[in-house]
């Protein structure tokens, strides 16, 4: 029997999957659960319904319970600590009675261009389109009729945390995707808050920004406990007991940093799944670049982040097509095995993909200044259409936009990248995604044995830190001393041919960007 008082739960609501990971007090995963879901494009807005949110997290938790019963032989009734994370940014608005005022607007939406540009100029700080404050200001510019009744603006993680604990708080990493952060004060930047409040007053609304935003906490601070209502919200069957300490909720950027031990200055990691983003912890302010977000670690250190809306969704679509073909010819394939075979085959493709080209844009992309996306596969008439080069094309396409953003950090801001940690579904097939990323950045890429666990594992670690850190022990030291001391890590450096091939592919990709822009206009 496992002492459940020394287990720690992380739940993350990702773009295509909700996943839960339960770890022990050696940070070893004990059980997991998941639920697949997908956003919907409704009235021009990428969204998830509240019904889908509630049903999804309960289905994920029920799957975890089944796994606990099977692997541990006991019901999941209590925990040492827990925490929830989710895809960052977006817009969830409520009135004073907790009624939802507008459809949930996810990070994927690119309808906030005027607001993001105006706030960037006003603050002297890059405000991306997907940030919560950009959505709020765009709603103000549009004079949306729900704003006079606004009492709470939060993110998906912030909303779930409130349902579990009753507390309107978020971790500082999550908060850094809502509004710019002052890393010295570990709070929203007060000068910018006052600047925005002037806009609110000018528009005639009766609320102030701090009235509607969640409070900011850092890793290790108490963010409340699981209430009776929160326990029933998560586990309607009634087995989970209230009283579990809950860590500050975080975004998928912060949990990715924790999951890869990338919270110290000068460390970095790349999360690659439905979207992909690179985060480099820096020790000084950077210039204002539209392609670079400044967010924070879960303890508030500044992080330069390159975020791309599109990564593996187009790969998933093609693998689904190949799975249909396999079924058609009477040779159905396990989806996981099919991914592995096709990813490994990409290693045999031409380093520069041999004249093949793809754009993986299902939605708009801020880094390349596109408000809408259309997936494209194209080739030169003299290019050989081979399956290895075809797969390699899609893998390199998934990283191309990220590389464009990283080049700004390395070339213009002189940020050094000595080594990156990779995690997320793109790295599940050993050595493949890792090698492609190394070719893109020209630096070694390390993948930990826990890389496939990703964000929910990182959130479980933050809950572990809340419950078991020693007095004064920093998160950085806790990760080194309690979590990753004996973790197996594989490090890979791409060879010269891979690097030169990626650069040649990227040059072709960049030249062809007008084709992608035109496709969004005519398709």
């Amino acid at each position: 029997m496992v002492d459940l008082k020394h287990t720690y739960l992380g739940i993350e609501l990702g773009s295509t999957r909700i996943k839960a990971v339960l770890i022990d007090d050696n940070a070893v995963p004990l059980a997991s659960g998941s639920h697949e879901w997908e956003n919907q494009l409704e009235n021009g807005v990428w969204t998830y319904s509240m019904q889908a949110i509630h049903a999804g997290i309960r289905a994920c938790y029920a799957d975890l319970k089944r796994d606990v019963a099977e692997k541990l032989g006991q019901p999941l009734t209590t925990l040492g600590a827990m925490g929830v994370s989710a895809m960052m940014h977006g817009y969830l608005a409520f009135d004073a009675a907790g009624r939802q005022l507008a459809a949930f607007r996810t990070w994927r939406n690119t309808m906030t261009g005027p607001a993001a540009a105006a706030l960037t100029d006003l603050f002297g700080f890059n405000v991306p389109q997907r940030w919560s404050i950009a959505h709020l200001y765009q709603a103000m510019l549009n004079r949306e009729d729900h704003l006079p009744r606004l009492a709470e603006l939060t993110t998906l993680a912030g909303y779930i945390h409130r349902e579990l604990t009753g507390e309107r708080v978020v971790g500082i990493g999550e908060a850094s995707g809502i509004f710019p952060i002052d890393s010295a004060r570990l709070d929203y930047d007060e000068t910018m808050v006052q600047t925005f409040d002037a806009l609110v007053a000018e528009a005639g609304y009766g609320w102030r920004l701090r009235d509607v935003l969640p409070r900011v906490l850092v890793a290790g601070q108490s963010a409340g406990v699981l209430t009776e209502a929160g326990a029933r919200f998560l586990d309607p069957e009634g087995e989970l007991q209230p009283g579990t300490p809950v860590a500050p909720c975080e975004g998928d950027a912060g949990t990715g940093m924790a999951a890869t031990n990338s919270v110290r200055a000068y460390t970095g990691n790349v999360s690659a799944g439905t979207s992909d983003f690179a985060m480099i912890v820096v020790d000084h302010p950077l210039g204002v670049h539209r392609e670079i977000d400044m967010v924070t670690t879960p303890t508030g250190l500044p992080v330069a982040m390159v975020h791309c809306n599109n990564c593996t969704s187009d790969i998933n679509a093609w693998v689904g097509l190949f799975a249909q073909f396999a079924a058609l010819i009477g040779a159905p394939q396990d989806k996981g095995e099919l991914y592995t075979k096709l990813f490994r085959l990409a290693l045999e493709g031409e380093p520069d993909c041999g004249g093949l080209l793809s754009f993986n844009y299902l939605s708009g992309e801020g880094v390349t200044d596109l408000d809408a996306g259309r997936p494209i596969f194209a080739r030169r008439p003299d290019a050989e259409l081979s399956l290895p080069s075809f797969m390699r094309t899609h893998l390199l396409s998934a990283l191309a936009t990220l590389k464009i953003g990283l080049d700004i950090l390395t070339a213009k801001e002189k940020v050094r990248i000595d080594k990156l940690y990779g995690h997320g579904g793109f790295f599940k097939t050993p050595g493949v995604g890792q090698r492609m990323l190394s070719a893109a950045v020209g630096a070694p890429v390390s993948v930990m044995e826990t890389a496939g666990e990703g964000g929910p594992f990182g959130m479980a670690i933050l809950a572990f830190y809340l419950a078991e850190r020693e007095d004064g022990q920093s998160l950085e030291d806790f990760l080194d001393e309690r979590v990753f001391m004996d973790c197996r890590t594989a490090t890979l450096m791409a060879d010269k041919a891979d690097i030169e091939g990626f650069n040649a592919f990227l040059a072709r990709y960049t030249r062809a960007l007008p084709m992608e822009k035109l496709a969004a206009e005519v398709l």
Side-chain angles (χ1 to χ4, degrees), residues 354-401:
L356 308 185
L357 182 64
S358 72
F359 289 95
N360 63 333
Y361 292 176
L362 270 72
S363 64
E365 192 60 80
V367 172
T368 47
D369 200 24
L370 294 170
D371 291 333
R374 300 291 186 271
I376 292 175
F377 173 72
R379 61 190 176 100
R380 292 176 55 87
D382 58 346
E384 180 186 358
L385 184 56
S386 70
L387 188 55
S389 289
F390 178 86
M391 286 306 304
R392 192 180 186 101
T393 298
H394 288 287
L395 266 60
L396 297 195
S397 173
L399 299 174
T401 309

Side-chain angles (χ1 to χ4, degrees), residues 277-353:
F277 46 86
M279 292 164 289
I280 313 296
V281 186
V282 298
D283 63 351
H284 63 281
L286 304 182
V288 179
H289 301 282
R290 177 184 55 79
E291 303 88 348
I292 307 296
D293 305 356
M294 292 305 300
V295 292
T296 77
T297 68
T299 58
L301 289 177
V303 175
M305 177 179 180
V306 179
H307 184 283
C308 306
N309 289 346
N310 302 277
C311 185
T312 60
S313 292
D314 198 33
I315 295 173
N316 297 342
W318 283 106
V319 173
L321 184 69
F322 292 138
Q324 292 176 42
F325 176 74
L328 177 66
I329 63 173
Q333 298 287 304
D334 174 81
K335 204 70 166 290
E337 292 180 3
L338 185 57
Y339 271 101
T340 299
K341 290 176 181 177
L342 291 170
F343 267 56
R344 286 177 176 164
L345 193 63
L347 297 177
E348 302 174 18
E350 293 292 327
D352 68 346
C353 303

Side-chain angles (χ1 to χ4, degrees), residues 75-137:
L76 185 56
T77 56
T78 189
L79 298 158
M82 65 176 296
V84 63
S85 59
M87 55 192 120
M88 288 175 68
H89 320 296
Y91 186 82
L92 270 168
F94 301 91
D95 65 13
R99 292 183 291 256
Q100 190 176 4
L101 296 174
F104 172 35
R105 300 165 191 180
T106 76
W107 58 270
R108 199 169 203 169
N109 290 286
T110 53
M111 78 278 277
T112 61
L119 291 178
T120 295
D121 290 342
L122 192 63
F123 293 162
F125 183 98
N126 182 42
V127 176
Q129 289 197 42
R130 65 188 178 281
W131 280 26
S132 304
I133 195 62
H135 281 280
L136 175 59
Y137 190 46

Side-chain angles (χ1 to χ4, degrees), residues 118-449:
L119 291 178
T120 295
D121 290 342
L122 192 63
F123 293 162
F125 183 98
N126 182 42
V127 176
Q129 289 197 42
R130 65 188 178 281
W131 280 26
S132 304
I133 195 62
H135 281 280
L136 175 59
Y137 190 46
Q138 190 64 53
M140 291 169 58
L141 294 177
N142 296 344
R143 303 299 297 179
E144 295 190 29
D145 58 11
H146 71 272
L147 289 177
R149 294 173 285 142
L150 182 66
E152 179 184 1
L153 168 60
T154 191
T155 61
L156 181 55
Y159 168 72
I160 297 296
H161 186 93
R162 172 167 63 80
E163 291 297 293
L164 296 178
T165 67
E167 301 288 341
R168 285 181 50 192
V169 299
V170 293
I172 195 166
E174 176 75 347
S176 69
I178 297 174
F179 192 87
I181 292 292
D182 181 343
S183 288
R185 296 182 63 248
L186 301 178
D187 199 358
Y188 302 120
D189 187 290
E190 182 58 29
T191 300
M192 297 183 195
V193 166
Q194 292 179 15
T195 300
F196 193 85
D197 279 341
L199 298 176
V200 175
E202 182 180 335
Y205 300 118
W207 43 266
R208 297 169 68 87
L209 194 58
R210 287 190 182 273
D211 296 335
V212 299
L213 293 187
R215 289 189 298 111
V216 179
L217 299 176
V218 298
Q221 288 185 298
S222 173
V225 298
L226 183 66
T227 64
E228 179 69 35
R232 296 294 74 76
F233 170 80
L234 196 58
D235 181 20
E237 294 180 348
E239 292 183 323
L240 182 62
Q241 301 303 305
T244 295
V246 182
C249 63
E250 268 298 345
D252 45 7
T255 57
M257 287 182 252
T260 56
N261 196 16
S262 302
V263 298
R264 290 189 187 274
Y266 315 117
T267 61
N269 78 94
V270 170
S271 173
T274 304
S275 64
D276 60 342
F277 46 86
M279 292 164 289
I280 313 296
V281 186
V282 298
D283 63 351
H284 63 281
L286 304 182
V288 179
H289 301 282
R290 177 184 55 79
E291 303 88 348
I292 307 296
D293 305 356
M294 292 305 300
V295 292
T296 77
T297 68
T299 58
L301 289 177
V303 175
M305 177 179 180
V306 179
H307 184 283
C308 306
N309 289 346
N310 302 277
C311 185
T312 60
S313 292
D314 198 33
I315 295 173
N316 297 342
W318 283 106
V319 173
L321 184 69
F322 292 138
Q324 292 176 42
F325 176 74
L328 177 66
I329 63 173
Q333 298 287 304
D334 174 81
K335 204 70 166 290
E337 292 180 3
L338 185 57
Y339 271 101
T340 299
K341 290 176 181 177
L342 291 170
F343 267 56
R344 286 177 176 164
L345 193 63
L347 297 177
E348 302 174 18
E350 293 292 327
D352 68 346
C353 303
L356 308 185
L357 182 64
S358 72
F359 289 95
N360 63 333
Y361 292 176
L362 270 72
S363 64
E365 192 60 80
V367 172
T368 47
D369 200 24
L370 294 170
D371 291 333
R374 300 291 186 271
I376 292 175
F377 173 72
R379 61 190 176 100
R380 292 176 55 87
D382 58 346
E384 180 186 358
L385 184 56
S386 70
L387 188 55
S389 289
F390 178 86
M391 286 306 304
R392 192 180 186 101
T393 298
H394 288 287
L395 266 60
L396 297 195
S397 173
L399 299 174
T401 309
L402 186 75
K403 168 65 170 175
I404 292 170
L406 282 173
D407 282 348
I408 295 170
L409 278 182
T410 55
K412 295 183 180 180
E413 293 290 346
K414 307 303 180 186
V415 173
R416 192 177 73 198
I417 300 177
D418 291 335
K419 183 167 71 172
L420 290 175
Y421 288 93
H423 65 106
F426 189 78
F427 301 102
K428 276 190 174 181
T429 302
V432 181
Q434 189 178 1
R435 179 168 153 185
M436 301 304 167
L437 178 60
S438 178
V441 299
V445 173
S446 297
V447 175
M448 297 176 174
E449 62 181 345

